[in-house]
Amino acid sequence: MFFKPLALLPLLALAAEKGIAAPAAGKPDFLPAISPGFDYEAMEKGFVQNLPMVEGVVAHVGGSKIPLSCKTRAIQAGLNPADFDVFTATFSDCSIPWIMCRHINSKITSGDMFITFGKMPLAMREFVKHVIVVPSKSVPGMAAGSFDDSIMFSDGSYRMYIFAHEISHSLDSRVPVADATPPGQGGFSITSKWQGEFAKDKAAVSDYGRSAWPENLAESGVVALFDSVVPGGLKAVHPRYQDVSHQVETYKMAYRDIINPKSKPQCTMRQPDSPMVLMGDPQNTPIKLSAFHVNVMENITMIPPGVPLDFTCSLPHSH
């Protein structure tokens, strides 16, 4: 769960220029983590059972084409871009497909990638450019990382609750919050509004959320999504849920429509993909990807709602 708080630092100066109160210095470590901690695997089960699956189509992308973001992350992880399956995931609620990248040795199948991502609320998915999965041994110690709205997972950590965390970083960076962030700017986690609400609680949502303000907001996003979409919410799963109520409710106030699975029927604000390049081109010259006419593409797999998570797509190298 990487994030670089430095990306938000320019917003501090802008906030001062706009007359918005500056946030407190330091980290959100002056409150203890909630005890006992939240059971994230139980939360995952709640997401699986209660977030609706969207039907769609998976299609292989040939010609050694790969999004530049996937290629860059692969090289940084010491992996060969040629060892990735690249495929499009087209959901019924968005005519623009997402391009995903899966290392051929990953334990997560392309079907798993499609189904898990497809359960995330559409307005959250819109903030993701690409989804990348690599073997855990390639990124030791990392569960997932958000890099310019592309999310790379180790294959042992491909979970909806980690999607909620990583997408929350994109919301924090990009979504303006009225009376908190500068007009047209994100950076909610570093505002006095967020930090003031945090200070009203008795605990932080997790120990990891005490490491930095952006991590605190991202961890709050996990429990806020659970509280919003699972019947009974946090009250049903934690005896001291009220200890973090200000973090949860403030997150929901800021991003309520985005985390609501029923807020929009079709995508309207997809983040633009990174350029398509050739896997073996050191110059990374942008190339065009042919139009997505699924009736003429190879290895088509229709994925309807309710397909079990052990479904394997008929893509090259899927296991």
Side-chain angles (χ1 to χ4, degrees), residues 10 125 131 136 142 151 154 162 168 185 214 219 251 275 286-287 304 309:
R125 278 185 276 134
V131 180
S136 296
M142 189 190 88
I151 304 175
S154 66
I162 297 183
S168 290
Q185 300 289 324
E219 288 287 85
Y251 182 100
I287 59 175
L309 289 178

Side-chain angles (χ1 to χ4, degrees), residues 30-318:
F30 53 86
L31 293 180
I34 191 168
S35 182
F38 287 108
D39 184 341
Y40 288 97
E41 289 305 318
M43 286 190 169
E44 184 71 9
K45 183 177 180 180
F47 290 142
V48 170
Q49 293 176 341
N50 292 281
L51 283 170
M53 174 61 199
V54 181
E55 65 181 4
V57 177
V58 167
H60 176 61
V61 175
S64 299
K65 301 180 182 73
I66 189 171
L68 180 57
S69 180
C70 293
K71 183 177 181 179
T72 301
R73 302 286 85 77
I75 293 172
Q76 289 178 344
L79 299 170
N80 186 344
D83 289 334
F84 279 77
D85 289 331
V86 179
F87 60 95
T88 63
T90 307
F91 299 93
S92 60
D93 56 11
C94 191
S95 62
I96 306 171
W98 278 264
I99 305 175
M100 301 186 178
C101 307
R102 171 192 169 273
H103 191 272
I104 59 175
N105 292 331
S106 171
K107 295 181 293 185
I108 299 298
T109 70
S110 46
D112 294 331
M113 292 176 67
F114 180 98
I115 293 167
T116 300
F117 184 61
K119 278 181 165 286
M120 298 304 295
L122 172 59
M124 296 185 77
R125 278 185 276 134
E126 287 186 303
F127 283 89
V128 178
K129 292 182 179 179
H130 305 288
V131 180
I132 310 162
V133 176
V134 300
S136 296
K137 63 182 181 181
S138 303
V139 283
M142 189 190 88
S146 179
F147 310 87
D148 189 29
D149 303 315
S150 291
I151 304 175
M152 184 169 77
F153 289 84
S154 66
D155 59 8
S157 302
Y158 195 71
R159 301 284 192 277
M160 276 183 278
Y161 74 84
I162 297 183
F163 260 122
H165 174 105
E166 298 300 340
I167 294 174
S168 290
H169 282 313
S170 292
L171 302 186
D172 185 22
S173 293
R174 296 189 178 278
V175 178
V177 177
D179 300 320
T181 64
Q185 300 289 324
F188 189 33
S189 67
I190 61 171
T191 66
S192 58
K193 172 64 176 177
W194 176 263
Q195 297 177 13
E197 294 298 320
F198 171 85
K200 296 176 183 178
D201 277 337
K202 295 181 179 179
V205 293
S206 71
D207 191 57
Y208 186 65
R210 300 173 69 244
S211 64
W213 288 111
E215 299 300 345
N216 172 246
L217 184 143
E219 288 287 85
S220 298
V222 178
V223 294
L225 180 62
F226 182 91
D227 196 52
S228 298
V229 303
V230 177
L234 295 175
K235 183 177 181 180
V237 298
H238 202 289
R240 300 184 61 182
Y241 73 98
Q242 291 181 320
D243 287 358
V244 297
S245 62
H246 287 87
Q247 291 157 86
V248 172
E249 294 304 318
T250 303
Y251 182 100
K252 291 197 296 188
M253 176 276 298
Y255 309 120
R256 186 177 305 277
D257 289 340
I258 296 174
I259 66 175
N260 180 358
K262 300 179 181 179
S263 65
K264 60 193 311 183
Q266 287 288 314
C267 63
T268 58
M269 50 184 297
R270 271 285 314 279
Q271 291 296 311
D273 293 334
S274 65
M276 290 296 288
V277 298
L278 292 176
M279 293 176 176
D281 178 13
Q283 302 300 319
N284 292 325
T285 304
I287 59 175
K288 291 184 178 181
L289 189 62
S290 300
F292 296 99
H293 297 303
V294 296
N295 60 324
V296 298
M297 294 190 72
E298 58 180 321
N299 298 309
I300 308 274
T301 303
M302 298 295 296
I303 302 184
V307 173
L309 289 178
D310 61 356
F311 175 84
T312 301
C313 270
S314 57
L315 298 186
H317 310 298
S318 289

